[in-house]
Amino acid sequence: MALTAVKGFNDILPDESGRWRYIEQTARRVFERNGFGEIRVPVLEKTELFCRSIGDATDIVEKEMYTFTDKGENSVTLRPEGTAGVMRAFIEHKLYAQDPIAKLYYMGPMFRYERPQKGRYRQFHQIGAEITGVNDPLADAQVLNMLTAFFREIGLTEPTLQINSLGCPECRPAYRNALRGFLEERMEHLCEDCKRRFATNPLRTLDCKVPGCVEATLGAPSVLEHLCSGCEDHFSSVRRYLDLSSTPYSINHRMVRGLDYYTRTTFEMVTGLLGSQSAVAAGGRYDGLISQLGGPAIPGIGFALGLERVALLLGSQDFVSLPDLFIATMGNGERDAAFRLMDGLLKSGVRVEMDYEGKSLKSQMRRADKLKARYSVVIGGNEVVSGRASFKRMADGLQADAELTVAGIQKLVGKPEQ
Ligand code: HAM
């Protein structure tokens, strides 16, 4: 039996990879304009890193990690997200000693053992960005504006931005208690997971999709009404900066995140177009994470977007690069001339295809159509002798006479000399 890929792990075929490159290039352009530099960290880390950052009582750490013991008896994990590894590298290489303000971005595969469905995979890809060293809400607003700019420049009007504040270690315990007080009276309506969350991580009950839990938590106390004055000021400044830059957003006080390291501002870019996988990008502030991982007390904020989800939203737009020219030959006698011309054109940046198998003219033209070449030309003895040929623009059949040289063809297809 032929081997297949592991469930939830996808191949990205050439048809699709053009769209991926477009997403990656747009992100690089927008992020670098904002002063972010790329960091590349390993996909495998010590398991402890994720337990200490994402949190032991989260779904990711409890149920979804690809954890195994390597041949040296070390517990290692395929990264389920990027922030923990990037902050580990930030601390390990003492990047903060050069400048506590680091602006870093990354892209690559992440791994979570979730139930695969549209928009949710076991190997998926994130593009993320993080800023360290800035407490000021200005950094929150810049990160949100950058994320908004990414979606605008990629040409999507969905998703939309939702923001919330989860408070800080000072005010969150009081909120957690208020929420527990509310949930206590509704325990019998909660699912088994949420009964457990009541003790370990009650905020997660607000995020549960089970209908009974959704109903039971209607009217739950809002985190925004329990913020300390520092967190309240921070959140109102973030909103003011967003208003100053005309960035559209709405407030969702029920938004809790699936990772424990968040403090204060959290956010998601959400869409109704991907079924139950509504978050296309998400992130927030993590002011305690770096010190929790053994580094200095430096704050941070960032986000990650799901590449597969952005690709789904972009839909079937054509991102495949098409040949500029297909060279057909009347017979075998012209194949050397056609090959030399193709070689010269490829070296000068024109994308060319020709027939590899000495097929009939008719079947060569069928291939030119199939490859969606912009122009085609047929080279026969006359063309070789005269050094000119008639080029057909495939979209409308228009014929244009031009020199059968690299320079002549470059001019015709509109590719500048390199
Ligand atoms: P997250 O919300 O767990 O946050 O993931 C961010 C994004 O990754 C999601 O909004 C979604 O688009 C995508 N994603 C997550 N899981 C899957 C999956 N199984 N299949 C496909 N796409 C998925 C984080 O990972 C944080 N590290 C974000 C962050 C950066 N916070 C601060 N800095």
Side-chain angles (χ1 to χ4, degrees):
M1 203 172 68
L3 279 171
T4 57
V6 175
K7 187 175 172 194
F9 286 60
N10 298 313
D11 301 307
I12 310 302
L13 303 178
D15 265 6
E16 177 70 9
S17 57
R19 189 177 347 194
W20 279 50
R21 264 198 316 280
Y22 171 68
I23 298 168
E24 289 162 356
Q25 282 161 359
T26 307
R28 284 181 195 284
R29 189 178 66 238
V30 175
F31 295 0
E32 287 179 13
R33 189 193 307 147
N34 279 270
F36 285 71
E38 186 177 10
I39 182 166
R40 301 186 187 205
V41 292
V43 293
L44 195 75
E45 297 273 1
K46 293 178 183 164
T47 303
E48 191 193 345
L49 172 68
F50 302 115
C51 301
R52 270 171 58 182
S53 54
I54 299 170
D56 283 324
T58 58
D59 282 357
I60 297 180
V61 171
E62 273 183 353
K63 312 185 215 168
E64 297 169 1
M65 294 210 302
Y66 278 88
T67 296
F68 60 95
T69 308
D70 71 8
K71 290 190 166 50
E73 298 296 312
N74 308 297
S75 176
V76 289
T77 296
L78 285 173
R79 62 181 183 191
E81 58 107 49
T83 313
V86 170
M87 291 307 130
R88 194 252 327 123
F90 176 77
I91 299 165
E92 187 170 340
H93 302 286
K94 297 195 171 56
L95 295 187
Y96 53 83
Q98 297 160 25
D99 187 350
I101 304 180
K103 296 184 187 175
L104 305 166
Y105 77 88
Y106 50 90
M107 42 185 78
M110 309 289 158
F111 306 85
R112 296 184 194 176
Y113 195 83
E114 294 191 82
R115 200 165 44 79
Q117 54 177 245
K118 182 179 169 194
R120 188 165 74 195
Y121 312 101
R122 291 181 172 170
Q123 175 179 298
F124 60 98
H125 295 74
Q126 284 187 345
I127 303 182
E130 318 284 350
I131 305 191
T132 61
V134 190
N135 272 312
D136 199 283
L138 223 140
D140 308 38
Q142 187 182 356
V143 161
L144 290 169
N145 286 347
M146 183 168 95
L147 185 57
T148 305
F150 164 80
F151 283 105
R152 189 176 56 239
E153 289 189 27
I154 210 156
L156 289 174
T157 46
E158 284 263 351
T160 54
L161 175 62
Q162 294 188 348
I163 62 171
N164 193 20
S165 173
L166 291 180
C168 67
E170 229 178 88
C171 52
R172 188 141 359 125
Y175 174 62
R176 210 180 276 134
N177 282 342
L179 186 59
R180 278 207 185 101
F182 174 87
L183 293 171
E184 219 157 19
E185 293 162 23
R186 295 162 176 80
M187 280 299 258
E188 76 267 30
H189 303 298
L190 298 182
C191 70
E192 287 311 308
D193 269 346
C194 282
K195 283 190 178 127
R196 215 164 27 81
R197 288 175 183 139
F198 175 83
T200 55
N201 204 347
L203 272 68
R204 295 290 301 168
T205 57
L206 298 178
D207 202 27
C208 183
K209 304 280 183 306
V210 176
C213 298
V214 174
E215 203 170 312
T217 58
L218 280 178
S222 159
V223 63
L224 294 178
E225 279 155 25
H226 290 77
L227 297 181
C228 61
S229 63
C231 288
E232 201 171 296
D233 288 350
H234 187 95
F235 193 51
S236 71
S237 295
V238 172
R239 291 185 337 248
R240 200 173 60 79
Y241 282 126
L242 291 177
D243 292 339
L244 275 180
S245 40
S246 307
T247 299
Y249 65 89
S250 59
I251 294 174
N252 176 1
H253 70 86
R254 285 178 63 98
M255 182 207 304
V256 293
R257 304 273 302 117
L259 305 94
D260 277 357
Y261 50 63
Y262 290 114
T263 51
R264 297 194 160 172
T265 316
T266 52
F267 51 90
E268 287 185 352
M269 297 291 280
V270 296
T271 176
L273 302 177
L274 297 180
S276 57
Q277 305 314 310
S278 59
V280 184
R285 208 169 241 291
Y286 44 86
D287 292 345
L289 177 61
I290 295 171
S291 58
Q292 221 167 292
L293 292 176
I298 292 177
I301 177 165
F303 64 79
L305 57 90
L307 227 163
E308 285 83 354
R309 293 185 189 176
V310 177
L312 281 169
L313 285 182
L314 280 176
S316 56
Q317 289 176 50
D318 229 343
F319 292 98
V320 185
S321 82
L322 301 174
D324 298 308
L325 176 67
F326 187 93
I327 305 175
T329 52
M330 290 295 278
N332 278 337
E334 292 85 35
R335 279 170 70 80
D336 283 3
F339 177 74
R340 276 190 40 217
L341 186 61
M342 175 171 84
D343 184 53
L345 286 166
L346 288 173
K347 284 173 179 152
S348 67
V350 179
R351 191 171 154 199
V352 191
E353 294 277 349
M354 68 175 274
D355 163 50
Y356 291 110
E357 294 158 296
K359 291 230 167 111
S360 71
L361 189 55
K362 198 168 158 199
S363 105
Q364 292 182 62
M365 293 320 288
R366 264 205 305 271
R367 186 147 178 84
D369 269 334
K370 185 172 171 196
L371 294 175
K372 300 197 180 123
R374 289 170 53 224
Y375 286 88
S376 67
V377 64
V378 181
I379 304 183
N382 287 344
E383 283 76 12
V384 174
V385 172
S386 70
R388 296 192 73 82
S390 178
F391 292 79
K392 180 174 162 192
R393 192 162 70 190
M394 301 294 277
D396 55 10
L398 195 82
Q399 300 277 349
D401 183 70
E403 248 182 55
L404 204 51
T405 59
V406 170
I409 294 171
Q410 268 182 324
K411 207 160 134 205
L412 177 83
V413 302
K415 287 269 157 122
E417 276 184 53
Q418 288 183 335

